[in-house]
Amino acid sequence: MSANNAFHIAVLAGDGIGPEVMAPALEVLRKVGDRSGLSFRFTEAPAGANNYLATGKSMPDSTIKLCEGADAILLGACGLPSVRYPDNTEIAPQIELRFIFDLYAGVRPARLIPGVPSPIVSADQRGIDLVVIRESTEGLFASMGKGVVTHEDARETMVITRKTSERLFDFSFRLAERRKARGKQGTLACVDKANVFKAFAFFRGIFDEIAKKHPDVKTDRLYVDACAAMLVKRPWDFDVMVMENMFGDIVSDITASLIGGLGMAPSADIGDTYAVFQPCHGTAPDIMGQGKANPTGMILSAAMMLDWLADKHGIESATEAGEQIERAVDQVYAGGLTPMEFGGSNGTADITRAVLAAL
């Protein structure tokens, strides 16, 4: 086997149901790796609220060092509602990793899988297949831990820089071009509030500059409120959307709700060198240890990791492996698999077995 087909993956299972959904994703990767001539070495490391309770830090230095040397990072859900920093903010290594590794492009796909219910009328016939790209290191989140609170008021600052915006838009146009080559719409919308805030007018202006380099990609410009209204009426009109950090945080939860909920939604935070892959859902401590957790979002995040590794290293078999996982997930849901959040009886073990069998 070529060394280029062997990948070292840092595994940060996290808190709550994080370890419960991580284990199935690793099983799926091992099986698809055996079929595709890929080799994975998984190294687990602590991160999250439980580590904070034990050590006073969300992640030890050894975890960060492991991530620096790995080919990719798989992250389970992190944080617990009852565990907070002294300023009452959440323990969120997923956010900290974005700043540590400059993971400026938050990629949040929303694809309606056959057999999965959507609250949108006609979605099962029209389909939903879009991607929210959320800038992940600036925007309103740049103020995280730096806000000023007095008795009279509280202030947070939004930051948008040219350097990060240019990289973000370059990434977004390349993704739209890749999707077009795969038969998708290949369109890109800039979502902002440029009619009210100078920072968003600056953001949109940079988008317009970068758009000139990509004349084959059809572009649009939308205000975030109008975008939200359109998403819950005609989500099939959208392909790729790019936006500021906080807007992306909100809009990506809307789009996840259109395809069955956060349990179905994968995600990635990608930079120029490093990338983290994790499900969109939280730690769900209310169902922890009961076998009810839906591992689909984590499994599909692993498929996203394979696609990123394939693109980064030029390994076509990794692309095919990721597509095999997606096809297996589609097959089992189309066949009637019904997770508990949809009112069914299929828990973590059932979903895992079904996907492995479909592979």
Side-chain angles (χ1 to χ4, degrees):
M1 177 181 297
S2 169
N4 291 333
N5 288 8
F7 299 110
H8 179 205
I9 310 300
V11 178
L12 284 54
D15 306 302
I17 63 170
E20 298 174 40
V21 298
M22 181 65 77
L26 300 186
E27 284 189 69
V28 167
L29 283 170
R30 289 188 185 99
K31 182 157 188 176
V32 80
D34 290 342
R35 292 170 52 92
S36 305
L38 303 172
S39 173
F40 300 103
R41 177 165 63 94
F42 301 115
T43 304
E44 299 188 15
N50 286 315
N51 192 74
Y52 177 78
L53 285 175
T55 68
K57 297 178 69 175
S58 68
M59 293 178 288
D61 293 341
S62 58
T63 294
I64 297 171
K65 186 175 181 180
L66 168 68
C67 293
E68 286 177 345
D71 291 300
I73 304 159
L74 280 178
L75 179 66
C78 290
L80 293 170
S82 60
V83 183
R84 302 273 173 158
Y85 286 118
D87 65 359
N88 203 39
T89 57
E90 292 183 23
I91 312 302
Q94 63 272 30
I95 298 176
E96 294 165 31
L97 287 168
R98 296 169 194 165
F99 291 106
I100 292 169
F101 294 113
D102 194 20
L103 310 177
Y104 56 85
V107 183
R108 310 289 187 266
R111 183 176 66 88
L112 184 61
I113 292 170
V116 174
S118 171
I120 306 301
V121 175
S122 300
D124 54 341
Q125 287 89 37
R126 301 295 297 270
I128 300 172
D129 189 348
L130 57 85
V131 181
V132 172
I133 301 179
R134 164 192 178 184
E135 195 289 312
S136 292
T137 61
E138 297 182 345
L140 194 56
F141 278 76
S143 190
M144 190 178 74
K146 303 173 186 175
V148 177
V149 179
T150 71
H151 180 71
E152 302 299 331
D153 62 23
R155 298 172 185 265
E156 305 277 3
T157 302
M158 181 170 66
V159 176
I160 293 177
T161 69
R162 173 170 290 276
K163 177 184 176 181
T164 295
S165 298
E166 287 177 345
R167 292 189 298 167
L168 178 73
F169 295 140
D170 278 332
F171 179 95
S172 302
F173 275 102
R174 289 196 305 270
L175 179 60
E177 288 165 347
R178 288 185 70 199
R179 284 173 63 84
K180 188 174 183 179
R182 295 178 178 182
K184 312 292 185 183
Q185 293 181 39
T187 61
L188 178 62
C190 178
V191 179
D192 55 44
K193 198 64 178 170
N195 58 330
V196 176
F197 295 102
K198 291 181 179 179
F200 285 119
F202 176 72
F203 188 75
R204 182 181 288 201
I206 299 171
F207 177 83
D208 290 341
E209 293 173 17
I210 302 300
K212 295 175 183 177
K213 303 179 185 178
H214 302 270
D216 293 336
V217 176
K218 182 181 177 182
T219 59
D220 200 357
R221 291 117 183 107
L222 297 170
Y223 299 136
V224 66
D225 46 345
C227 175
M230 293 167 66
L231 275 170
V232 298
K233 293 177 67 176
R234 297 180 60 86
W236 43 82
D237 287 346
F238 290 89
D239 188 34
V240 184
M241 297 175 284
V242 60
M243 61 200 72
E244 176 270 339
N245 207 337
M246 179 60 80
F247 286 169
D249 189 18
I250 297 167
V251 171
S252 61
D253 274 16
I254 293 175
T255 56
S257 73
L258 306 181
I259 60 161
L262 293 173
M264 301 298 297
S267 77
D269 289 306
I270 299 173
D272 292 335
T273 304
Y274 300 96
V276 173
F277 301 87
Q278 66 175 125
C280 287
H281 63 71
T283 55
D286 57 319
I287 61 169
M288 178 177 63
Q290 300 173 39
K292 296 179 179 180
N294 184 352
T296 305
M298 187 75 245
I299 291 170
L300 291 174
S301 296
M304 288 183 70
M305 180 189 75
L306 291 172
D307 187 63
W308 178 77
L309 288 169
D311 185 54
K312 183 178 181 182
H313 298 284
I315 301 175
E316 187 60 34
S317 59
T319 300
E320 174 59 25
E323 292 173 350
Q324 286 177 29
I325 293 174
E326 290 187 352
R327 288 195 296 268
V329 170
D330 285 6
Q331 178 182 326
V332 299
Y333 276 96
L337 186 78
T338 310
M340 293 182 179
E341 66 259 41
F342 301 156
S345 60
N346 297 127
T348 313
D350 290 339
I351 298 169
T352 305
R353 280 194 296 267
V355 174
L356 288 171
L359 285 170

